[in-house]
Amino acid sequence: QVRLVESGGGLVQPGESLRLSCEASGTVFNINSMGWYRQFSRPQRELVAAITSEGRTAYHDSVKGRFTISRDNSKNTMTLQMNSLEPEDTAVYYCNVDYAGDRHLAAPWGQGTQVTVSP
C-alpha cells in the first residue's frame, strides 16, 4: 500500500509565497518521477511541475519562474516552492509518483492541500 500526504497549503494574498510538501510512504520503491498537480473546479487535474530521479524538472508554462520543485530521494519527499502567487493559482494541489522502476506504477491520490490566493 502506497500513501501520499500533501501539506502546506493555505490562504495567502497575491504576491505571497507558500511551500507545499509531499511524503510518499508505504511500499513505494524505485521512484522514477514525482509530480505536483492541481485541480480547479473542473474534474481534470493539471500537471504543474515534475522532477525525475536525476533531478530534471519541467513546469507548466503558467508557473515557470515562480514555482520550484525539489525532492529528497532518501526520504521519498518532494516540495513545491510557490512564489509570486496569483489568484489563478487557487486550486487543490496533489502530488503523485511514478514508482517501481520499469513497471511505472502510480500511487493512489491523496487528499490534496488547498491553496487559496485572494486579496
Side-chain angles (χ1 to χ4, degrees), residues 54 65 76 94 98 101 103:
E54 296 83 13
N76 289 342
Y94 300 86
D98 172 343
R103 294 174 64 191

Side-chain angles (χ1 to χ4, degrees), residues 2-7 19-26 28-36 49-55 57 68-81 94-99:
V2 178
R3 185 175 180 225
L4 299 172
V5 177
E6 302 93 345
S7 61
R19 185 178 180 86
L20 305 184
S21 297
C22 169
E23 180 178 6
S25 61
V28 59
F29 57 95
N30 292 345
I31 296 178
N32 300 308
S33 62
M34 305 179 78
W36 283 100
I51 185 168
T52 69
S53 57
E54 296 83 13
T57 59
T68 303
I69 188 172
S70 60
R71 63 188 281 178
D72 185 333
N73 292 332
S74 66
K75 298 179 181 178
N76 289 342
T77 58
M78 173 176 60
T79 61
L80 184 68
Q81 178 66 42
Y94 300 86
C95 63
N96 213 314
V97 299
D98 172 343
Y99 73 103

Side-chain angles (χ1 to χ4, degrees), residues 33-95:
S33 62
M34 305 179 78
W36 283 100
Y37 299 76
R38 62 188 178 187
Q39 186 170 15
F40 303 107
S41 56
R42 57 185 179 273
Q44 293 83 7
R45 290 188 177 96
E46 170 184 273
L47 179 60
V48 177
I51 185 168
T52 69
S53 57
E54 296 83 13
R56 291 192 301 272
T57 59
Y59 297 92
H60 191 279
D61 284 347
S62 66
V63 306
K64 285 180 179 177
R66 301 189 296 123
F67 291 10
T68 303
I69 188 172
S70 60
R71 63 188 281 178
D72 185 333
N73 292 332
S74 66
K75 298 179 181 178
N76 289 342
T77 58
M78 173 176 60
T79 61
L80 184 68
Q81 178 66 42
M82 305 188 298
N83 298 329
S84 302
L85 283 161
E86 303 170 352
E88 293 75 21
D89 296 316
T90 295
V92 181
Y93 284 71
Y94 300 86
C95 63

